[in-house]
């Protein structure tokens, strides 16, 4: 089963890489972050994927969980968090219109991680998962990944988008 997941992730990453390479001499565009999210969740299978809430559905959610993010112009924004607080699973992915804003977004995401570690995550298991959270920056794209037992697979698949 684990080998199948890794194979699926490799195939997904390769297909995204090939789609980017097909652009030829054009300036490399950021990957489709929504597609990454959908592909990764599908790779987990229905039985393993947690129910998620889209923070982008309500600007007040973004203000509450990511103060300052609404002030930054974004080309893409995928802010998905577990619908149940006892589940530490969150994939927050944005592409900044101005690459210079990436560091500000990284700081906003770090504040989210810190708030979860310092009392936001109520259970020892969820706090431990938040302590393993990773914030990745590639150009103007910033990702906050908290994926429990799937952490390394999520990070590897994200990094493969830029390989």
């Amino acid at each position: 089963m684990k080998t199948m997941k890794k194979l699926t992730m490799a195939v997904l990453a390769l297909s995204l890489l090939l789609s980017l390479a097909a652009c030829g001499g054009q300036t490399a565009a950021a990957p489709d972050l929504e597609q990454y999210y959908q592909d990764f969740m599908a790779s987990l299978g229905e039985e393993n994927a947690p129910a998620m809430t889209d923070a982008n559905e309500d600007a007040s959610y973004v203000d509450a969980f990511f103060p300052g993010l609404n002030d930054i112009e974004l080309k893409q924004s995928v802010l998905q968090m577990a619908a149940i607080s006892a589940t530490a699973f969150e994939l927050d992915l944005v592409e900044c219109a101005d690459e210079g804003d990436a560091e500000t977004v990284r700081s906003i995401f770090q504040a989210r991680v810190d708030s979860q570690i310092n009392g936001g995550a109520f259970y020892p298991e969820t706090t431990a998962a938040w302590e393993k959270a990773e914030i990745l920056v590639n150009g103007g794209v910033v990702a906050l990944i908290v994926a429990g037992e799937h952490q390394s697979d999520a990070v590897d698949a994200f990094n493969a988008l830029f390989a």
Side-chain angles (χ1 to χ4, degrees):
M1 182 71 160
K2 195 169 194 170
T3 302
M4 183 62 146
K5 284 183 187 178
K6 287 186 179 189
L7 179 61
T8 301
M9 293 308 301
V11 169
L12 290 171
L14 182 60
S15 67
L16 286 170
L17 182 64
L18 291 175
S19 70
L20 289 174
C23 295
Q26 300 175 3
T27 302
D32 183 336
L33 300 177
E34 179 66 30
Q35 191 63 57
Y36 160 82
Y37 169 75
Q38 295 297 333
D39 290 345
F40 182 73
M41 295 302 284
S43 76
L44 298 178
E46 236 178 86
E47 67 282 354
N48 293 320
M52 301 295 280
T53 298
D54 184 354
N56 280 318
E57 289 183 359
D58 187 334
S60 67
Y61 285 174
V62 177
D63 286 336
F65 296 114
F66 309 99
L69 191 59
N70 278 330
D71 299 331
I72 298 171
E73 183 181 352
L74 302 174
K75 290 182 178 179
Q76 301 182 69
S77 177
V78 177
L79 303 173
Q80 294 284 341
M81 53 190 64
I84 299 170
S85 64
T87 303
F89 200 101
E90 190 162 321
L91 295 174
D92 303 314
L93 317 158
V94 300
E95 178 188 6
C96 301
D98 178 351
E99 194 172 306
D101 288 330
E103 182 57 30
T104 302
V105 172
R106 191 206 60 72
S107 296
I108 291 168
F109 284 177
Q110 185 62 56
R112 170 84 175 133
V113 171
D114 294 344
S115 73
Q116 289 300 99
I117 291 171
N118 297 314
F122 300 113
Y123 306 99
E125 297 84 12
T126 54
T127 300
W130 277 96
E131 289 171 344
K132 295 176 184 167
E134 293 189 50
I135 300 171
L136 309 164
V137 180
N138 191 308
V141 177
V142 186
L144 165 57
I145 299 176
V146 183
E149 66 185 77
H150 308 288
Q151 182 74 21
S152 63
D153 292 336
V155 169
D156 290 348
F158 179 81
N159 286 332
L161 297 173
F162 300 94

